[in-house]
Amino acid sequence: AVRLVESGGGSVQAGGSLRLSCTVSGATFDDSDVGWYRQAPGNACELVSMIKRDGTTYYTDFVKGRFTISQDNAKNTLYLQMNSLKPEDTAMYYCAADLILTPYGLGTPGGYWGQGTQVTVST
């Protein structure tokens, strides 16, 4: 079965850094968009960053220049390096994989979510 497991969340002061990891089992990156979403309480889920099937990347404007998405194909792991963190980045972060990812979530019924990892940024 396909499983996505996130790790690396935690509590950090503003300006600090965290690196999130998402290990994917039961599938490869080859035929999927892979990415990171986040959701704060009371807010909509938003796409933070993704790597499309063709290798191109996307970042939401709020994280450009601060976050970097990458993947290690040998380890079948997706990463999100988060630098210069702000309190506004506080959210539950989820990795996802699907044939197509959208700004609002999975694009097809065949996609997968991880369980999430909490990121809390304090002043």
Side-chain angles (χ1 to χ4, degrees):
V2 176
R3 187 172 69 149
L4 283 64
V5 179
E6 302 97 333
S7 63
S11 182
V12 65
Q13 292 184 343
S17 298
L18 288 171
R19 188 181 72 165
L20 307 184
S21 300
C22 173
T23 299
V24 180
S25 61
T28 69
F29 298 132
D30 291 354
D31 297 323
S32 297
D33 291 351
V34 291
W36 293 92
Y37 294 79
R38 67 186 182 187
Q39 186 170 27
N43 293 344
C45 182
E46 66 172 339
L47 174 64
V48 177
S49 181
M50 75 159 116
I51 304 174
K52 296 182 65 67
R53 288 174 290 163
D54 64 5
T56 59
T57 58
Y58 165 87
Y59 298 91
T60 190
D61 287 344
F62 191 72
V63 308
K64 286 180 179 177
R66 300 188 297 121
F67 291 11
T68 303
I69 191 170
S70 63
Q71 60 187 33
D72 184 333
N73 291 327
K75 297 180 179 179
N76 217 30
T77 299
L78 180 72
Y79 301 97
L80 185 67
Q81 178 67 47
M82 305 186 296
N83 298 326
S84 301
L85 283 162
K86 304 176 180 181
E88 293 80 11
D89 296 316
T90 295
M92 184 72 75
Y93 284 70
Y94 302 89
C95 64
D98 201 352
L99 181 64
I100 299 172
L101 293 179
T102 81
Y104 312 104
L106 305 182
T108 83
Y112 297 90
W113 291 99
Q115 293 300 304
T117 185
Q118 178 68 39
V119 171
T120 302
V121 185
S122 64
T123 59

